[in-house]
């Protein structure tokens, strides 16, 4: 709860105009409510046909004000005043709600943008080690709940202010009666405040079960192909249904409790008001004064009910905000460096010197790894699964930092170079190419928004993708579907290669780009790679050795270390080499 209040004060600094508008509208609404209450005094006096000397002080004041413009105050005027002030109060109430919603969504936009920016400036380990269900839920549901929380916070502030103004009327009209009302209300409301303490715990459980439910849904949809292939649809639905039922059970209790607080408070407050008025009537209070005080209480009670519910909502939604803040702090712990020297051109080599790296303590994936990749070469990394090949690529991309040793780019430590300027010189084609649910053209333009159509067509030609693109019904504007599901594996890889080439990279990284392709698709990719040799530096990870026949240099990795190096011909003709053994087994 303290974290939410702290952030609210930050928001007051960030969005002062929003809160100023809310303040002014709330004051206007409260003033109109006061005027509507005061206008009841002449209504009561006229209906009771009192003598002028028995009129309420407010009635006398209105008569004097109307006489200034030569109009005699009559019952019809009192009705018009009451109806007008009440109607205007309703209009302003709508404007207050608009201001509250404006604050909510402006805060939500700011919060989501800030969180996403924070997450996307952290190292890749934040995503690889994190719980994607919690991340997805944070953006899909918890962020919206946080927006609701700050909308409720604004609502709470507005209604507290209005309540403070509205309580002035009965205090000025009947201070003793008002004090009795407040005391009785506090006594009657003690059980409700006790229930209020349960809201936070239920809010925490609501967030936890929502994380699990969203995680299972995300896994189920991502694994749709394997679920269908294994015929496990029923079990998958049952697992998700069970998690949803757990969430629903907590959510029903949480929402019932939050909504019931205001429903319980209104009759409690009304009872307190009636008791207080009864006591005051026994002391001889005039009927017009009682009517005004009673009406003031009827205006005040809904506001107090809203305050009770808003307070409960804010407390219950606090765990959502705390989760987002926790994730942001975790991301902040391992931020990518944003400074460093701008990388202008790849000139000499990439060098690993005695590099050690582990994902978990004492379980090294790279051990004293030494490696030199020269400019203009095609350098292949081969070896059995788990040898550390993809880890080397991830470190070259700056996704992970070594535990010890040096990574030198043209003789300079990678840590001293501005990462994004360095990555702009790299084209990367992963084993499983991810395409956005957009057109081929949009997917290619994404990697280089400044690329011309001619440049895109050239990249498609180099990647041997132009033929199948031209044969598609919409050509470059063919929509590829989610993750490129409407394309074959070979087509996706060629689009992935074209996307990398659109960047005009100086370094091209191919991480097992042909491992899952058919022979024809492999040949097309291989032909594209061969055409690029000599024009840029190519780093290839390959299990299929046919992909690396033309490699300038091959590094064979074994248990995290480079154990032999040489050209394809040198190693393949050496019967004692590990590459020879690998070729024989294939």
């Amino acid at each position: 709860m303290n974290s939410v209040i702290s952030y609210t004060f930050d928001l007051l600094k960030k969005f002062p105009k929003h809160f100023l508008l809310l303040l002014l509208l709330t004051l206007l609404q409260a003033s109109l409510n006061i005027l509507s209450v005061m206008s009841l005094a002449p209504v009561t006096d006229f209906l009771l046909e009192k003598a002028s000397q028995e009129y309420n002080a407010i009635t006398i004041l209105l008569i004097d004000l109307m006489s200034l413009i030569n109009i005699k105050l009559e019952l019809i005027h009192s009705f018009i005043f009451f109806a007008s002030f009440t109607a205007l109060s309703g209009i302003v109430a709508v404007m207050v709600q608009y201001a509250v919603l404006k604050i909510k969504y402006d805060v939500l936009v700011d919060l989501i943008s800030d969180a996403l920016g924070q997450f996307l400036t952290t190292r890749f380990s934040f995503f690889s080690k994190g719980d994607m269900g919690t991340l997805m839920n944070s953006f899909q549901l918890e962020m919206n709940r946080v927006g609701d929380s700050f909308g409720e916070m604004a609502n709470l502030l507005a209604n507290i202010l209005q309540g403070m103004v509205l309580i002035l009327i009965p205090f000025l009209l009947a201070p003793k009666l008002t004090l009795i009302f407040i005391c009785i209300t506090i006594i009657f409301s003690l059980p409700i405040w006790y229930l209020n303490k349960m809201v936070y715990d239920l809010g925490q459980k609501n967030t936890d079960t929502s994380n699990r439910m969203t995680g299972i849904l995300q896994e189920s949809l991502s694994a749709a192909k394997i679920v269908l292939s294994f015929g496990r649809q029923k079990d998958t639905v049952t697992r998700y249904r069970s998690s949803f039922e757990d969430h629903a059970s907590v959510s029903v209790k949480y929402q019932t409790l939050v909504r019931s607080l205001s429903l319980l408070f209104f009759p409690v407050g009304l009872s307190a008001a009636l008791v207080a008025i009864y006591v005051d009537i026994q002391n001889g209070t005039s009927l017009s004064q009682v009517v005004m005080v009673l009406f003031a209480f009827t205006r005040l009670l809904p506001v107090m009910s809203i305050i009770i519910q808003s307070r409960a909502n804010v407390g219950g939604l606090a765990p959502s905000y705390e989760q987002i803040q926790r994730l942001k702090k975790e991301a902040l712990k391992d931020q990518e460096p944003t400074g460093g020297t701008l990388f202008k051109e790849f000139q000499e080599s990439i060098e690993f010197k005695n590099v050690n790296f582990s994902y978990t303590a004492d379980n090294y994936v790279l051990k004293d790894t030494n490696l030199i990749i020269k400019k203009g070469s095609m350098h292949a990394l081969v070896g059995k699964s788990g040898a550390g090949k993809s880890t080397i690529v991830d470190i070259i991309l700056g996704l992970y930092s070594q535990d010890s040793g040096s990574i030198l780019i043209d003789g300079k430590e990678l840590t001293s170079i501005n990462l994004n300027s360095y990555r702009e010189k790299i084209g990367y084609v992963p084993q499983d190419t991810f395409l956005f649910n957009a057109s081929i053209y949009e997917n290619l333009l994404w990697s280089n928004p400044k690329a011309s159509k001619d440049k895109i067509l050239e990249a498609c030609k180099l990647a041997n993708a132009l033929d199948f693109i031209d044969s598609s019904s919409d050509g470059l504007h063919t929509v590829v579907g989610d993750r490129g599901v409407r394309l074959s594996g070979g087509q996706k890889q060629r689009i992935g290669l074209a996307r990398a080439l659109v960047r005009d990279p100086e370094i091209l990284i191919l991480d097992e780009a042909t491992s899952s392709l058919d022979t024809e698709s492999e040949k097309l990719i291989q032909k594209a790679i061969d055409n690029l040799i000599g024009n840029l530096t190519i780093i290839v990870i390959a299990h299929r050795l046919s992909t690396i026949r033309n490699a300038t240099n091959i590094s064979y990795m074994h248990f995290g270390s480079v154990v032999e190096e040489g050209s394809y011909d040198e190693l393949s003709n050496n019967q004692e080499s590990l590459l020879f053994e690998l070729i024989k087994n294939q």
Side-chain angles (χ1 to χ4, degrees):
M1 183 62 186
N2 290 335
S3 58
V4 178
I5 294 173
S6 174
Y7 190 70
T8 300
F9 284 113
D10 290 338
L11 292 174
L12 287 170
K13 296 176 184 176
K14 190 175 290 187
F15 300 103
K17 292 181 181 179
H18 292 64
F19 283 95
L20 179 60
L21 174 63
L22 179 63
L23 173 65
L24 294 175
L25 288 173
T26 303
L27 287 174
L28 178 58
Q29 183 185 10
S31 300
L32 289 168
N33 280 327
I34 290 174
L35 291 173
S36 67
V37 171
M38 293 175 65
S39 65
L40 284 174
V43 171
T44 306
D45 287 339
F46 288 146
L47 287 176
L48 293 176
E49 298 180 351
K50 288 185 177 182
S52 58
Q53 62 270 22
E54 297 177 337
Y55 284 168
N56 187 282
I58 293 174
T59 304
I60 295 171
L61 176 63
L62 287 175
I63 290 173
D64 292 341
L65 290 174
M66 293 291 286
S67 66
L68 294 176
I69 53 175
N70 298 319
I71 296 177
K72 182 182 179 182
L73 182 67
E74 297 179 355
L75 181 60
I76 185 63
H77 298 130
S78 302
F79 279 141
I80 291 172
F81 287 149
F82 177 75
S84 299
F85 291 141
T86 303
L88 287 173
S89 176
I91 293 171
V92 176
V94 173
M95 296 170 68
V96 168
Q97 287 307 305
Y98 171 83
V100 168
L101 289 171
K102 179 68 173 168
I103 290 173
K104 169 187 170 178
Y105 283 101
D106 283 356
V107 167
L108 200 53
V109 168
D110 180 76
L111 187 64
I112 290 177
S113 302
D114 181 60
L116 185 60
Q118 189 81 69
F119 295 158
L120 292 180
T121 55
T122 191
R123 292 192 182 278
F124 182 67
S125 57
F126 173 75
F127 299 97
S128 62
K129 295 177 184 176
D131 181 352
M132 289 305 295
T134 298
L135 276 176
M136 292 292 292
N137 181 55
S138 294
F139 278 99
Q140 291 176 341
L141 296 175
E142 302 308 314
M143 283 289 190
N144 194 54
R145 284 160 56 81
V146 169
D148 289 338
S149 176
F150 288 114
E152 289 288 352
M153 184 68 79
N155 212 18
L156 180 62
L157 294 174
N159 281 287
I160 287 175
L161 179 61
Q162 185 171 190
M164 291 171 65
V165 174
L166 287 175
I167 199 70
L168 289 176
I169 304 172
F171 253 125
L172 293 173
L173 295 173
K176 183 180 177 181
L177 184 154
T178 305
L179 286 172
I180 293 172
F181 164 72
I182 292 173
C183 292
I184 296 174
T185 301
I186 291 173
I187 294 170
F188 284 4
S189 300
L190 289 177
I192 296 176
W193 287 109
Y194 175 76
L195 290 174
N196 207 14
K197 294 180 179 179
M198 299 168 59
V199 171
Y200 178 87
D201 291 336
L202 284 173
Q204 182 66 64
K205 291 179 181 178
N206 197 49
T207 296
D208 292 341
T209 54
S210 183
N211 288 338
R212 183 171 180 273
M213 178 188 70
T214 305
I216 291 174
L217 178 62
Q218 190 264 337
E219 283 181 350
S220 301
L221 295 178
S222 298
K225 187 173 183 180
I226 195 169
V227 169
L228 294 174
S229 300
F230 276 72
R232 305 296 291 177
Q233 298 97 319
K234 187 175 180 180
D235 292 329
T236 302
V237 171
T238 300
R239 182 169 175 248
Y240 176 67
R241 182 186 178 92
S242 176
S243 68
F244 205 148
E245 286 174 346
D246 290 342
H247 174 64
S249 176
V250 173
S251 190
V252 166
K253 294 174 186 175
Y254 166 70
Q255 293 186 44
T256 300
L257 180 58
V258 169
R259 295 176 186 181
S260 65
L261 292 176
S262 62
L263 296 175
L264 290 171
F265 177 79
F266 189 82
V268 167
L270 184 59
S271 299
L274 293 174
V275 170
I277 288 172
Y278 176 79
V279 171
D280 212 50
I281 288 176
Q282 302 304 309
N283 295 326
T285 304
S286 67
L287 184 59
S288 61
Q289 189 170 353
V290 169
V291 169
M292 284 191 293
V293 171
L294 180 60
F295 189 73
F297 283 158
T298 60
R299 285 288 192 180
L300 180 62
L301 285 174
V303 172
M304 294 179 70
S305 295
I306 293 172
I307 290 173
I308 295 290
Q309 182 166 341
S310 295
R311 167 64 181 81
N313 275 325
V314 170
L317 297 174
S320 300
Y321 177 70
E322 289 168 2
Q323 174 168 289
I324 292 165
Q325 291 300 96
R326 175 178 58 79
L327 289 172
K328 287 175 66 177
K329 286 180 181 177
E330 289 177 9
L332 192 61
K333 288 179 183 177
D334 198 19
Q335 288 286 288
E336 283 192 340
T338 55
T341 306
L342 290 178
F343 188 81
K344 296 181 180 180
E345 182 183 4
F346 181 49
Q347 298 176 334
E348 299 174 8
S349 65
I350 299 171
E351 185 175 0
F352 280 53
K353 282 189 173 181
N354 301 317
V355 171
N356 292 286
F357 174 81
S358 63
Y359 292 104
T360 57
D362 301 324
N363 185 19
Y364 283 95
V365 179
L366 299 182
K367 303 172 184 177
D368 294 322
T369 301
N370 291 283
L371 178 69
I372 298 178
I373 300 171
K374 295 182 179 179
K375 180 182 179 180
S377 69
M378 176 180 173
H379 198 114
L381 301 173
V382 298
K384 296 179 181 179
S385 296
K389 305 182 297 296
S390 292
T391 300
I392 283 183
V393 164
D394 289 344
I395 290 176
I396 289 173
L397 286 167
L399 298 177
Y400 294 101
S401 294
Q402 71 276 20
D403 297 332
S404 62
S406 299
I407 311 293
L408 304 176
I409 311 295
D410 295 337
K412 297 178 181 178
E413 288 281 356
L414 179 56
T415 53
S416 70
I417 297 171
N418 181 278
L419 273 178
N420 274 348
S421 66
Y422 162 68
R423 288 169 178 161
E424 286 174 0
K425 306 298 181 183
I426 298 176
Y428 174 55
V429 185
Q431 180 178 357
D432 183 17
T433 296
F434 182 98
L435 297 180
F436 298 99
N437 189 9
S439 67
I440 293 172
Y441 183 82
E442 289 170 317
N443 270 282
L444 297 176
L445 197 64
W446 174 83
S447 70
N448 182 7
K450 296 180 181 178
S452 64
K453 187 173 181 179
D454 288 342
K455 178 62 186 173
I456 287 174
L457 290 172
E458 180 188 351
C460 292
K461 184 177 180 181
L462 285 171
N464 281 319
L466 206 52
D467 288 345
F468 91 79
I469 291 174
D470 287 340
S471 64
S472 300
S473 57
D474 295 318
L476 276 173
H477 299 288
T478 299
V479 176
V480 302
D482 185 42
R483 297 172 177 262
V485 70
R486 297 178 187 173
L487 303 180
S488 69
Q491 290 171 338
K492 282 173 61 177
Q493 288 298 79
R494 279 178 276 163
I495 294 298
L497 179 57
R499 181 172 63 188
L501 295 175
V502 165
R503 293 170 65 84
D504 276 330
E506 296 180 15
I507 302 168
L508 178 64
I509 297 177
L510 306 169
D511 188 353
E512 307 221 30
T514 64
S515 64
S516 59
L517 303 182
D518 59 83
T519 303
E520 183 180 352
S521 296
E522 182 192 5
K523 286 181 179 178
L524 289 170
I525 294 286
Q526 181 59 54
K527 183 179 178 182
I529 294 171
D530 290 343
N531 291 334
L532 296 170
I533 295 175
N535 295 320
L536 65 166
T537 304
I538 303 174
I539 303 170
V540 182
I541 294 177
H543 275 122
R544 288 188 178 183
L545 300 179
S546 56
T547 310
I548 59 170
R549 289 183 183 276
N550 295 324
T552 310
N553 197 47
I554 296 173
S555 295
Y556 192 101
M557 298 196 66
H558 187 64
F559 290 119
S561 299
V562 177
V563 294
E564 64 180 31
E565 287 189 301
S567 68
Y568 184 86
D569 290 338
E570 289 172 349
L571 297 177
S572 63
N573 292 324
N574 180 357
Q575 295 187 14
E576 295 182 0
S577 77
L578 293 170
L579 184 67
F580 178 85
E581 186 69 21
L582 193 60
I583 293 171
K584 186 174 72 173
N585 290 336
Q586 284 196 355

